[in-house]
Structure formats: C-alpha cells, structure tokens
C-alpha cells in the first residue's frame, strides 16, 4: 500500500527542491510549481482523510530506523486529533500560495521557503517520534523567520527577530522535557506511542517535565504574558505569512499541549490544571479587550487569536482534570474543533484584511468606510468571517466554543466568566464593520476594484468551510471523537 502520509509530507519539499535546481525560472513558473505542489499535497491530505483513523490509537503508521543506537526513528501516522490538523494545514498552504501568486520579488526563494514550511508544518502533526517532532518544530521557526524578514512590511526585521528569539528560546525547555521522558522510559525510547501508552515519569520528575512543556507551548500558543511577539509578527508579516502563522503555527502549541502535556504527563497535568485554566481564561479575556482597543484591522485580528486560543487552553485544562468522562470528552472535542475552526476563520480574516490593504494601502479603520458599497464581495466576505469569529450560531466557532463552555461549566462553573470574551468580541467586530464597511465611501475609494478570480479562489475554500463546520460540525467531530473518547 502506498505510504500516503510520507508522500503527502514530502511533496512540498520535492517542489522546493525543484525550485532550488531550476535557477532562472520566471516568477509565473515558480508560482505555478508552488501551487501544483501544494495542490497535490492537499489531494494527498484528502486521501489520508478518506482512509480515516481506526479506533483510539494511531493509524496509517509508517516507520523506518533513523538512529537505532538511541532509538530514534522516522515514525509518522495520524489519529483523530492530528488528522484534521493535517488537512487544515494542506488547505491553508494551498490558499496562501494561490494568494501569493502576485508576488514578484525573489519569487523562487519565496515559494521554495513556503513549501519547506509546509513540509515542516505537516511533519509536526504526523510525527510519532519525539526527536522527529522537535526537528520539524524547529524548521518551522527558521522558515517563518525568513518569510517575515524577507517579504514583510516596514518593521519586518524587528518583528522577525522577536518572533525567532521568543520561539527558539521557548522551544529549548521542550527538548529538556523530551530528554527527561526518554531517560524515564524503560526501555529508553523516543516513540511517542509508547510514551503515551505508558507515561514514564511521575512525581517531581513529571512535574518538572510538564513545566518545561508548558513554557514552550505557552510561547507558541501564545498565552499571556508570553504573547508579545504575536501582534508584531502578524502586523509585519506578508498576508500569506499571517495566514500560515495564525492558521497553522499557533496550533503547534495547543497540539503539543494535548499530545505531550496531557497524554505523556497526565497526573502532573491534573495537579496543575487549575493554574493552566486560569492562564487560559485570562488570555481569552485579555485578547478580547486588547482587540477592542485596536484601530488597525490586522492588529485587531491578531489579538482575537490570543482570545480564541485561550478558549482552547481552557478546554484542554478542563479535560485534564474532569472526573466525568462526558465532560472531559466534551471539552477536549471542543478544544480540537476550535483549533480547526480558528485556522479556517482567522486565516480567512487575515486573507481579507490583506486584500483591503492591497487596495487602500491602509488598515486603519478610521481611514476606511463604505467598503460594502464599492467592493461588495470583499466586504460581505469579511462580514461572514467576522460573524464566525464572534461565535454566531451556524458558523465555525460556535460548535467548538459551545462544547468548551459546556464542559467547563460542568467542572469549573466559575470559569465560565470566559464567556464574557464572546460579548467583547461581538462588540469589537461590530465596531470594525461599522467603521470600515458601512456608511458613505470616501471619494478616493470609488474606483476600487472588487475581488479578482485569484482572490476569490483563495478565499472561497475558507469561507465555505466556515459555513460547513458551523452547520455540520459532526463531519470533523466524528473523526476527533474516535481518539478523544479514549483519553
């Protein structure tokens, strides 16, 4: 049987290698190679999705010895938690590369870098060896650093450096935790399946390993007060970089929180779950109120990412401590679904804000206005994504957040104060829509062109998924639940 996980994983890398070999290719050809490579990767991800997962464990596992003397191997596979994230990653990279087809500056390098980043991002979600996971995790940091520094906006150098230093230094504790898990296992192994099935650490050692993991993943999510790199990185990154950073790379933190902290140090996590919950609640509320104070559309969307990722942290913390299996599964199902819905909705918002900036050369809401009249397709697309982000029933965030809040209410009733974040988010997006899209359009916007075919092709899959997940969440939840019910 064809090893589809590996094929899908390395297809983008093959496209990047082709671009490195073909030195003097026109921009159009470079973009075509990128779109074809990411399109084939998306087809591979759909194939993996169609094969599905069998039961609670990992499926479609592929394994080859790598460094046998210390038990490191190339191990990849998927379960109900990673499979939706693999498909999400493939969709977002395809969308990002289609949108980026307008870039003419150092095109070959840009596309090759994006394809390398796609392989590393998929690798984070399919890796079943802790060292392999860490390698992919680090490669994504380097790739995104160069994307921001090379193709970002005016303050890109400082934003790229802040992103790199925060995330690189933040990832070092994870390496120490991985080494601790390896030394605590008997026999010593980096096989994540074995570390999950039989958690090797207990007592103080498990607590120290957990604390190291929490530092790494708190930076990556990001959780207050380790979030300060995020707004700058989003604001200065190119539009496609913001889509990937928010839609894919922030999920490395929450995915790691589930895969490592919850599954490999469950007892230690249970003892510290209240602390994690408090940070999640505070991050969700802080992100909402900070977004409310923004006048820059892109910075507003960036802070709402802190808000929505805070909900995921709350759901995972509740799952760690819940004695009731129903509440545990409910909260964790909601947390994983929120990872997917956040990638779709926030990816769409960053894409649409990028289109607005390309036309108006500003993101300041006070300088915009009346866009629904001059660019109705773009305007109504933004309204749809904004309504999804504020949690409107029938759109993507609602089923995820509702499950998180319901699970939280059954375990920590006081923690449902986090629901206040939805009220604030609703207010800030209504304010943004009123300022930027309603009213009379300034004279200088009258000749503005609406979304072209390339932009519609990029935005359409995300907007369609925003509605699909909201109306039929069981399509994704059925896959997620096969794994979460056994945790």
């Amino acid at each position: 049987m064809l090893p589809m996980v590996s094929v899908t994983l390395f297809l983008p890398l093959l496209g990047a290698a082709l671009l490195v070999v073909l030195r003097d290719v026109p921009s159009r050809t470079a973009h075509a190679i990128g779109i074809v490579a990411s399109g084939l990767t998306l087809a591979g991800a759909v194939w993996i999705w169609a094969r599905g997962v069998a039961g609670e464990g990992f499926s479609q596992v592929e394994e080859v010895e790598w460094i046998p003397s210390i038990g490191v191997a190339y191990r990849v596979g998927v379960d109900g938690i990673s499979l939706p994230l693999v498909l999400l990653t493939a969709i977002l990279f395809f969308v990002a590369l289609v949108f980026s087809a307008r870039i003419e500056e150092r095109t070959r390098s840009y596309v090759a870098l994006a394809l390398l980043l796609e392989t590393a991002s998929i690798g984070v979600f399919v890796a079943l060896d802790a060292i392999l996971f860490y390698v992919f995790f680090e490669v994504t940091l380097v790739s995104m650093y160069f994307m921001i520094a090379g193709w970002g906006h005016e303050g890109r150098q400082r934003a790229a450096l802040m992103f790199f230093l925060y995330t690189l230094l933040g990832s070092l504790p994870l390496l120490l935790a991985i080494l601790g898990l390896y030394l605590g296992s008997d026999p010593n192994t980096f096989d994540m399946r074995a570390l999950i099935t039989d958690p090797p650490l207990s007592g103080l050692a498990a607590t120290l390993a957990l604390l190291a993991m929490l530092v790494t993943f708190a930076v990556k999510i990001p959780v207050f007060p380790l979030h300060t790199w995020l707004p700058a990185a989003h604001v200065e990154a190119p539009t496609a970089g913001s889509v990937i950073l928010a839609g894919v790379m922030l999920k490395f933190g929450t995915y790691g929180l589930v895969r490592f902290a919850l599954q490999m140090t469950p007892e230690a996590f249970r003892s510290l779950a209240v602390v994690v919950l408090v940070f999640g609640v505070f991050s969700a509320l802080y992100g909402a109120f900070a977004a409310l104070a923004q006048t820059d559309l892109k910075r507003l969307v960036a802070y709402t990412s802190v808000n929505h990722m805070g909900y995921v942290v709350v759901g995972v913390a509740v799952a760690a401590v819940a004695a009731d299996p129903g509440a545990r599964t409910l909260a964790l199902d909601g947390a994983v679904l929120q990872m997917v819905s956040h990638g779709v909705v926030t990816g769409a918002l960053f894409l649409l804000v990028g289109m607005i900036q390309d036309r108006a050369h500003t993101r300041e809401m006070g300088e915009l206005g009346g866009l629904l009249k001059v660019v109705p397709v773009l305007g109504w697309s933004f309204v749809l994504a904004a309504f999804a982000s504020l949690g409107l029933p029938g759109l993507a965030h609602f089923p995820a957040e509702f499950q998180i809040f319901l699970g939280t209410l059954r375990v920590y009733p006081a923690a449902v104060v986090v629901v206040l974040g939805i009220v604030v988010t609703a207010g800030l997006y209504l304010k943004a829509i009123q300022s930027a899209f309603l009213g009379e359009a300034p004279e200088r916007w009258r000749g503005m062109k609406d979304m072209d075919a390339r932009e519609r092709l990029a935005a359409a899959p995300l907007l369609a998924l925003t509605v699909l997940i909201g109306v039929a969440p069981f399509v994704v939840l059925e896959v997620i639940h096969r794994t979460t019910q056994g945790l």
Side-chain angles (χ1 to χ4, degrees), residues 122-164:
I122 293 174
V124 168
F125 297 127
V126 301
L128 297 183
D129 183 279
I131 294 296
L132 186 65
F133 174 93
Y134 189 79
V135 169
F136 284 130
F137 191 86
E138 292 295 284
V139 172
T140 63
L141 308 185
V142 177
S143 304
M144 181 53 71
Y145 166 80
F146 283 111
M147 183 171 286
I148 296 172
W151 291 269
H153 301 298
E154 293 79 7
R156 60 184 182 270
Q157 299 294 341
R158 180 178 179 276
L161 183 61
M162 183 183 294
F163 162 78
F164 187 75

Side-chain angles (χ1 to χ4, degrees), residues 174-465:
L174 176 61
L175 180 59
L176 295 177
I178 289 172
L179 293 175
L181 291 167
Y182 171 79
L183 295 173
S185 58
D186 186 19
N188 297 145
T189 183
F190 290 108
D191 189 336
M192 292 166 61
R193 295 167 297 176
L195 298 175
I196 291 169
T197 303
D198 184 18
L201 301 178
S202 60
L204 179 60
T207 301
L208 292 175
L210 173 64
L211 290 173
M213 296 175 195
L214 291 179
V215 170
T216 294
F217 299 136
V219 171
K220 200 66 181 176
I221 291 172
V223 172
F224 180 91
L226 300 175
H227 70 289
T228 51
W229 63 269
L230 179 67
H234 272 314
V235 168
E236 301 301 339
T239 297
S242 293
V243 171
I244 294 166
L245 182 58
V248 178
M249 295 184 67
L250 298 191
K251 309 306 172 300
F252 298 165
T254 47
Y255 174 76
L257 197 62
V258 175
R259 185 67 78 211
F260 282 84
L262 183 62
Q263 292 190 280
M264 298 183 192
T265 57
E267 294 300 327
F269 198 171
R270 185 174 296 114
S271 65
L272 293 178
V274 176
V275 177
V276 176
L277 178 75
V278 170
F279 274 100
V281 170
F282 193 87
S283 291
L285 295 179
Y286 170 83
F289 280 105
L292 184 61
Q294 305 307 313
T295 59
D296 181 309
L297 269 178
K298 198 173 186 183
R299 189 173 288 271
L300 179 150
V301 177
Y303 275 108
T304 60
S305 283
V306 179
N307 164 253
H308 289 116
M309 297 306 286
Y311 296 147
V312 179
V313 175
V314 169
V316 177
V318 169
V321 77
D324 177 10
R328 181 189 312 123
T329 304
L330 192 65
L332 194 54
D333 281 355
V336 178
L337 183 60
Q338 177 78 344
M339 294 185 215
V340 178
S341 67
H342 176 268
V344 170
V345 174
T346 306
L349 284 168
F350 275 120
L351 201 66
L352 296 166
V353 170
M355 296 178 195
I356 293 170
Q357 183 178 11
D358 289 343
R359 288 161 170 77
H361 305 293
T362 182
R363 301 185 303 258
E364 288 292 326
M365 292 184 283
E367 299 178 15
L368 299 170
L371 292 181
L372 275 178
K373 293 183 178 179
V374 293
V375 283
V377 177
L378 175 55
W380 284 111
S381 296
F382 184 92
V383 170
L384 174 64
F387 281 168
S389 189
L390 62 83
L392 190 72
L395 298 175
H397 275 333
F398 178 77
E401 292 172 358
F402 186 76
Q403 290 186 97
I404 292 171
F405 298 151
L406 192 57
T408 303
L409 183 63
R410 292 168 62 174
V411 179
Y412 288 116
V416 294
V417 67
V418 75
V419 175
L420 179 61
I422 290 185
V423 179
V424 178
T425 304
L428 67 90
Y429 271 118
L430 293 176
K431 173 187 171 185
I433 291 170
Q434 182 179 20
S435 299
F437 296 92
L438 302 181
E440 290 298 319
E443 188 65 30
R444 62 186 181 278
W445 302 150
R446 295 302 170 87
M448 187 181 291
K449 294 182 179 180
D450 210 340
M451 294 169 66
D452 58 29
R454 171 184 57 82
E455 292 170 329
R456 294 187 189 201
L457 177 60
L462 301 184
L463 297 175
L465 285 171

